Amino acid sequence: MGIVGSGIMGSGIAEVAAKAGIEVVLRSRAQSTADAMVAGLEKSLAKQVERNKLEAAERDTVLARVRAVTDLGELAECDLVLESIVEDLAAKKHLFTELDRICADHAIIATNTSTLPVIELAMETGRPEKVCGVHFFNPAPMMALVEIVRAITSSDETIAEATAFAAACGKNPVLVKDQAGFIVNALLFPYLNNAARLFDAGVATRDDIDAAMKGGCNFPMGPLELLDLVGLDTSLAILEALYAEFKDPNYAPAPILRRMVSAERLGRKSRVGFYDYRK
Ligand SMILES: NC(=O)c1ccc[n+]([C@@H]2O[C@H](COP(=O)([O-])OP(=O)(O)OC[C@H]3O[C@@H](n4cnc5c(N)ncnc54)[C@H](O)[C@@H]3O)[C@@H](O)[C@H]2O)c1
């Protein structure tokens, strides 16, 4: 398979697929990011060997399955290409046009988008029946779920192959139609957004909001911690897409999210968000 985008999700999905025995070509725009991704994968696998969760020999086999490249043309022989670049419709549309030109005729081109309309990406290609969503969760190696998103043009074969791919990766696929937020983010993001509003209104402190939801609902993470994990830029883009689709005030991004993104406080990825990860 090919993966385009070596951010949080692209690298995680590469690890999942390589561990499942799939040859992965991971495309990053810059060689430095491609190298950093391979180094990150090495580190993650080394940790698993240390914890006796992976044999040392298996680590080498998994690493050998991932090839990091910068040229999109290297994806020409892939059977499945999953894009996981920035959550921006114009950037993804441009990429789909390119992928349609480069990928083999039989290849499925899928998107890991959290909220954007899959149909708009499908219609950038000459193969809209071979386009669908394959939505992994963060962190991809740990989370069991994959949402398979059926655009109105996706064929039964495409959905069956995408579902089989998710299952081969050891994930639990669920099928959902192409509507903003699919299942998880449509339900999760009003909650996260309202947590940011509560914090901004000074109703409780950051630590008390997170402690309340962990202790009161048995959630593994508080909402502000989770926003930092997802990335505030990605969270803002998700809420904007949800609001554009439904015009429901619960989806209108909390102003503090926009201010934090302007200040480059993106969460863990920029090492500061609601929490400070620089120490
Ligand atoms: N972060 C999450 O929790 C999460 C979970 C599931 C799905 N997603 C989705 O996965 C996708 C990627 O998110 P992420 O969290 O990995 O983001 P990220 O910010 O970590 O990575 C984005 C990647 O896209 C690249 N990029 C930016 N602009 C580009 C362009 N114009 N062309 C090509 N590449 C470009 C960046 O260099 C970076 O490598 C998004 O569609 C997002 O909605 C994110």
Side-chain angles (χ1 to χ4, degrees):
M1 73 176 296
I3 299 173
V4 187
S6 54
I8 306 174
M9 292 308 292
S11 343
I13 298 165
E15 176 175 335
V16 170
K19 283 182 84 178
I22 298 167
E23 298 285 329
V24 178
V25 183
L26 178 65
R27 190 268 182 167
S28 179
R29 287 176 302 176
Q31 192 58 48
S32 54
T33 341
D35 295 342
M37 181 268 141
V38 174
L41 177 61
E42 275 170 0
K43 204 169 146 196
S44 166
L45 296 175
K47 254 194 220 154
Q48 295 167 40
V49 173
E50 254 171 51
R51 293 181 191 151
N52 293 323
K53 290 191 171 155
L54 190 74
E55 298 280 329
E58 179 62 5
R59 171 197 58 200
D60 298 339
T61 318
V62 172
L63 266 177
R65 287 192 193 114
V66 180
R67 195 157 60 85
V69 303
T70 54
D71 177 9
L72 214 51
E74 299 265 4
L75 303 173
E77 286 175 16
C78 295
D79 300 313
L80 165 69
V81 174
L82 177 56
E83 77 72 23
S84 191
I85 67 164
V86 63
E87 186 77 341
D88 176 272
L89 188 58
K92 286 192 194 289
K93 276 184 164 183
H94 176 71
L95 177 62
F96 265 69
T97 315
E98 294 275 283
L99 288 174
D100 188 43
R101 189 172 52 74
I102 289 162
C103 294
D105 289 347
H106 74 275
I108 291 178
I109 310 179
T111 173
N112 186 41
T113 183
S114 303
T115 33
L116 296 171
V118 180
I119 185 62
E120 296 213 20
L121 304 177
M123 296 310 284
E124 291 296 310
T125 74
R127 63 181 93 191
E129 73 288 356
K130 289 192 191 298
V131 174
C132 67
V134 175
H135 183 215
F136 280 82
F137 288 78
N138 183 11
M142 280 172 65
M143 304 299 280
L145 183 72
V146 170
E147 289 176 327
I148 304 293
V149 184
R150 182 194 276 274
I152 54 177
T153 51
S154 311
S155 70
D156 290 346
E157 292 74 28
T158 299
I159 296 302
E161 281 187 45
T163 306
F165 160 74
C169 287
K171 303 298 185 192
N172 297 332
V174 295
L175 182 62
V176 53
K177 74 175 189 180
D178 178 23
Q179 175 177 293
F182 314 128
I183 301 169
V184 173
N185 287 336
L187 296 173
L188 176 65
F189 268 84
Y191 155 66
L192 296 180
N193 198 29
N194 281 313
R197 285 186 188 147
L198 219 60
F199 170 73
D200 199 24
V203 174
T205 63
R206 171 197 75 184
D207 290 353
D208 282 354
I209 291 171
D210 279 350
M213 294 313 290
K214 286 191 273 193
C217 293
N218 218 11
F219 287 174
M221 296 179 85
L224 303 176
E225 280 177 289
L226 183 53
L227 280 163
D228 274 1
L229 176 78
V230 171
L232 298 194
D233 51 345
T234 303
S235 298
L236 179 61
I238 289 172
L239 284 161
E240 279 172 340
L242 282 162
Y243 187 71
E245 182 113 317
F246 300 112
K247 303 288 185 290
D248 176 335
N250 272 311
Y251 292 130
I256 189 174
L257 291 177
R258 208 179 293 285
R259 296 296 180 275
M260 288 177 73
V261 171
S262 300
E264 294 176 7
R265 295 186 187 178
L266 308 181
R268 288 193 194 186
K269 67 170 108 172
S270 68
R271 307 193 63 221
V272 57
F274 287 104
Y275 290 80
D276 191 337
Y277 304 90
R278 292 169 295 191
K279 303 163 219 141

